[in-house]
């Protein structure tokens, strides 16, 4: 079984300057996001690494800008054309 790449680690590498902006935008726009698991009975985080919450958290943590987030979502078709 092949383990999925980590979106969190990818965004950290981008923020560190290891990945060019256009490459990051294209890669993350095509990312295989997982459906987030929500369980009201689970207090601890699920530690999922490939969800939209991780992407949104990248903005809050300063790893990507709000404009980059919006461009990724636009490329995914989330904002329409």
């Amino acid at each position: 079984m092949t383990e999925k790449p980590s979106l969190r680690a990818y965004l950290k590498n981008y923020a560190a300057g290891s990945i060019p902006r256009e490459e990051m935008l294209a890669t993350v726009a095509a990312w295989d996001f997982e459906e987030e698991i929500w369980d009201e009975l689970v207090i601890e985080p699920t530690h999922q690494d490939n969800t939209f919450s991780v992407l949104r958290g990248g903005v809050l943590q300063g790893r990507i800008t709000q404009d980059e987030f919006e461009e990724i979502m636009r490329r995914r078709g989330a904002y329409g054309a």
Side-chain angles (χ1 to χ4, degrees), residues 4-8 11 28 31-38 46-58 69:
K4 285 185 171 184
S6 165
L7 178 59
R8 188 174 283 116
L11 294 177
V28 176
W31 202 270
D32 181 20
F33 286 93
E34 299 170 350
E35 186 174 331
E36 205 152 349
I37 298 171
W38 292 98
T46 61
H47 300 293
Q48 286 181 282
D49 193 40
N50 292 298
T51 65
F52 284 105
S53 292
V54 171
L55 181 60
R56 192 70 183 128
F69 174 83

Side-chain angles (χ1 to χ4, degrees), residues 12-46:
K12 283 181 183 178
N13 286 334
Y14 171 70
S18 301
I19 301 166
R21 181 178 189 272
E22 187 55 40
E23 180 181 325
M24 181 279 296
L25 291 172
T27 300
V28 176
W31 202 270
D32 181 20
F33 286 93
E34 299 170 350
E35 186 174 331
E36 205 152 349
I37 298 171
W38 292 98
D39 186 344
E40 293 177 11
L41 300 176
V42 176
I43 297 170
E44 296 295 317
T46 61

